């Protein structure tokens, strides 16, 4: 246990208690670091970094709010003199990349494989296999470059709400 603690002190903290015949370990001060860096080496750097990042974040938010306030003032001034200002862009949430619209539900985009599969299964009175669904999707006009449309359909089926697996490899709406 003592040997373990000595290794821990030496590798983690850079110091070690002096034993007979061995030199003491080199601490942070003996490495030539400036006195200001000692607290960073001892673990206070994370708190300082977090505080610096929080300050910068607050500064950016304040600048954004000031710019949005200026945009609103200019838009109202333009409207009062008879001009039209473009609508201010909506504020995005933190997780959505720019240019990507918010999801409008689980229906999928127009012409998507999801939409075609749901349409095929709604029109079929009996359960269908992924191979049958892929064939019916292609007959209904779905254009694809997929090498294996059956596999794409098989991968999609468990993620569709309202689709039930009714037997081995058979799905229905």
């Amino acid at each position: 246990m003592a040997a373990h603690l000595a290794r821990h002190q030496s590798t983690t903290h850079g110091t070690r208690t002096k034993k007979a015949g061995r030199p003491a370990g080199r601490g942070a001060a003996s490495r030539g670091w400036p006195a200001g860096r000692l607290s960073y080496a001892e673990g206070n750097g994370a708190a300082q970094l977090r505080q610096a990042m929080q300050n910068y974040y607050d500064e950016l938010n304040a600048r954004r709010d000031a710019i949005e306030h200026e945009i609103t003032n200019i838009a109202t001034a333009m409207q009062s003199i008879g001009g039209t200002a473009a609508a201010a862009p909506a504020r995005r949430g933190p997780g959505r990349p720019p240019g990507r619209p918010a999801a409008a539900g689980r229906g999928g985009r127009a012409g998507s494989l999801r939409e075609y599969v749901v349409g095929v299964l709604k029109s079929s009175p009996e359960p269908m296999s992924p191979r049958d669904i892929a064939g019916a999707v292609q007959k209904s006009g779905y254009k694809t470059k997929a090498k294996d449309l059956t596999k794409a359909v098989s991968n999609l089926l468990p993620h569709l709400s309202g689709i039930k697996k009714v037997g081995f490899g058979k799905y229905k709406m």
Side-chain angles (χ1 to χ4, degrees), residues 11-139:
T11 58
T12 305
H13 303 291
T15 58
R16 184 173 62 201
T17 58
K18 188 171 183 176
K19 292 187 180 178
R22 294 176 140 179
R26 294 180 56 187
S30 66
R31 289 189 184 118
W33 290 358
R37 300 253 334 243
L38 287 177
S39 63
Y40 182 78
E42 294 166 1
N44 292 336
Q48 291 172 352
L49 178 62
R50 185 173 41 246
Q51 184 61 43
M53 290 176 72
Q54 182 65 45
N55 292 343
Y56 186 61
Y57 176 79
D58 294 340
E59 177 189 334
L60 289 176
N61 278 330
R63 287 195 323 207
R64 180 185 60 200
D65 293 341
I67 290 171
E68 286 178 354
H69 182 70
E70 288 181 37
I71 289 171
T72 304
N73 289 342
I74 291 173
T76 55
M78 288 178 67
Q79 288 176 351
S80 67
I81 59 172
T84 57
R91 289 176 81 168
R92 283 187 267 284
R96 203 170 79 231
R100 184 173 168 207
R106 300 291 297 194
R109 70 175 199 280
S112 66
L113 179 60
R114 178 184 301 257
E115 185 178 273
Y116 274 91
V117 167
V118 168
V120 165
L121 285 173
K122 277 185 182 177
S123 65
S124 173
E126 67 226 22
M128 297 177 75
S129 70
R131 181 178 292 165
D132 297 334
I133 295 170
V137 161
Q138 281 187 318
K139 284 181 187 173

Side-chain angles (χ1 to χ4, degrees), residues 131-166:
R131 181 178 292 165
D132 297 334
I133 295 170
V137 161
Q138 281 187 318
K139 284 181 187 173
S140 64
Y142 180 72
K143 299 199 180 345
T144 183
K145 294 180 183 176
K147 292 180 182 176
D148 191 359
L149 185 61
T150 303
K151 186 168 186 164
V153 169
S154 294
N155 290 336
L156 178 64
L157 285 169
H159 301 288
L160 295 175
S161 59
I163 308 290
K164 296 179 187 120
K165 187 171 184 177
V166 293

